[in-house]
Amino acid sequence: MPALRPGAKVAIVAPASAAPDASDQAAEWLQERGYAPQVMPASRVRLQPPYDYLAGSDAERLADLHAAFAAPDVSAVWCLQGGFGSWRLLDGLDYELLRRHPKPFIGYSDITALHLALQRRAGFVTFHGPMLAQDMLAGKREPTESHLLAMLSGQFGQGAWIDPPLDAPATTLVPGTATGRLVGGNLALIAALIGSPYEIDTRDAILFIEDVNEALPRVDRLLNQLAAAGKFDGVKGVLVGSFTRILGVQMDDAQAQGMLYPLILDQFRGRGIPVLGGWPSGHGNPNLTLPLGARVTLDTGRGALRLEQAVVIR
């Protein structure tokens, strides 16, 4: 897919929850960085109860996505925020249209449902990265912004390393090196789609997981659900992202991560695959961008990922 160039038009979409007051602020943020924003209509909407967690009706949110991908002058489709509701769109998406018009699609959290569906049905790389309202307007620290824009503009080519910042190094849980497609996202959404046509394909993959506001027993249950569904059997390596605001744990996020690792090791220590923890992608701060669907190498010795393919064309 083409790289994002200076001055390019960027569509602002809200496929999940509403943030109607943030869409115009997000447009200003993009303008300040030299891009031409296009605010899609549903991003300015909040439905009435009991659907007030949604930005517009399913039909309106689908129409925004379809219009943004189909428009020849739109170079990227950037989500305003996550929340709830992306999964409601999966059966209605025109995957053939999206396949014909691949372009950078950026988001995370509830947007994981769309990432998984696009991987299964459209087949192009999508970006698990910071969202406009949830991250950029909230002031997530560097290299959150620069890392995403560098990746979208093609500064990360084949052979480039994706390294965490020096003040947020990753933690080796099981040493080793492995190569595969990078797949995953929010753990709860991955589990929620098991049994659906959009469930995650983990064969020969590097699995990335992250989450927020989950208790440790629930994380354990989600992991065991995926294991029971056979989703760990073909995994080549595991990248454990930010697990923030863990419920019932009275310590900061960095300390709480350590409480999570025994649950991770229960699942993967005996599988003979490398596991890297504490990766700063997801709901934490900073939030590094990951190219889902791209072939990568996980190297715990370096504590980093290497791109084995270009993810955009400059």
Side-chain angles (χ1 to χ4, degrees):
M1 74 182 81
L4 184 66
R5 301 186 184 282
K9 182 176 285 188
V10 176
I12 299 171
V13 296
S17 286
D21 296 333
S23 54
D24 291 317
Q25 296 176 48
E28 292 177 12
W29 186 94
L30 285 166
Q31 284 179 322
E32 290 169 358
R33 283 148 185 84
Y35 299 104
Q38 179 171 337
V39 179
M40 304 307 287
S43 71
R44 290 192 169 110
V45 175
R46 183 190 300 276
L47 294 184
Q48 295 299 310
Y51 297 109
D52 50 329
Y53 58 91
L54 296 174
S57 68
D58 294 349
E60 290 169 328
R61 299 188 337 275
L62 278 169
D64 280 2
L65 284 172
H66 290 153
F69 273 97
D73 61 337
V74 168
S75 296
V77 182
W78 202 339
C79 295
L80 192 62
Q81 72 164 27
F84 299 92
S86 294
W87 50 270
R88 296 173 61 97
L89 306 183
L90 304 187
D91 287 344
L93 276 173
D94 185 342
Y95 295 99
E96 179 56 34
L97 181 149
L98 272 56
R99 194 181 302 116
R100 292 197 309 268
H101 303 281
K103 56 190 68 174
F105 174 72
I106 308 111
Y108 71 105
S109 194
D110 191 72
I111 308 302
T112 293
L114 291 166
H115 286 306
L116 294 177
L118 290 173
Q119 297 303 313
R120 293 300 293 251
R121 297 295 184 88
F124 56 85
V125 170
T126 60
F127 296 91
H128 185 285
M131 294 181 283
L132 287 161
Q134 206 160 319
D135 296 80
M136 298 313 193
L137 297 181
K140 287 283 179 79
R141 66 183 178 88
E142 278 292 287
T144 300
E145 176 185 334
S146 60
H147 188 265
L148 171 65
L149 297 179
M151 188 167 290
L152 296 184
S153 64
Q155 295 177 42
F156 286 83
Q158 183 176 359
W161 286 95
I162 302 174
D163 293 294
L166 294 176
D167 61 352
T171 300
T172 297
L173 301 181
V174 181
T177 302
T179 299
R181 289 175 305 107
L182 183 62
V183 302
N186 183 264
L187 178 60
L189 267 294
I190 294 171
L193 290 178
I194 293 298
S196 78
Y198 315 103
E199 69 179 20
I200 193 169
D201 179 2
T202 56
R203 293 170 296 178
D204 299 320
I206 304 298
L207 174 64
F208 165 71
I209 54 174
E210 66 85 38
D211 219 321
V212 63
N213 290 330
E214 297 285 7
L216 289 172
R218 178 167 162 78
V219 172
D220 191 32
R221 187 175 70 194
L222 292 167
L223 291 170
N224 276 283
Q225 179 186 357
L226 294 178
K231 292 302 176 181
F232 296 156
D233 295 344
V235 170
K236 298 297 186 184
V238 179
L239 185 66
V240 183
S242 302
F243 277 72
T244 55
R245 301 198 295 273
I246 296 176
L247 300 179
V249 177
Q250 303 302 314
M251 55 185 69
D252 64 31
D253 287 338
Q255 293 175 307
Q257 287 274 92
M259 301 287 289
L260 174 74
Y261 293 151
L263 307 181
I264 300 290
L265 290 171
D266 279 348
Q267 296 294 339
F268 298 109
R269 182 190 281 117
R271 293 179 182 269
I273 59 175
V275 182
L276 191 63
W279 184 266
S281 292
H283 290 81
N285 190 7
N287 181 7
L288 294 191
T289 300
L290 293 172
L292 298 177
R295 191 165 176 81
V296 302
T297 293
L298 171 68
D299 186 337
T300 64
R302 179 165 173 142
L305 296 175
R306 186 177 67 238
L307 280 176
E308 302 299 339
Q309 66 175 86
V311 294
V312 294
I313 300 170
R314 298 182 73 172

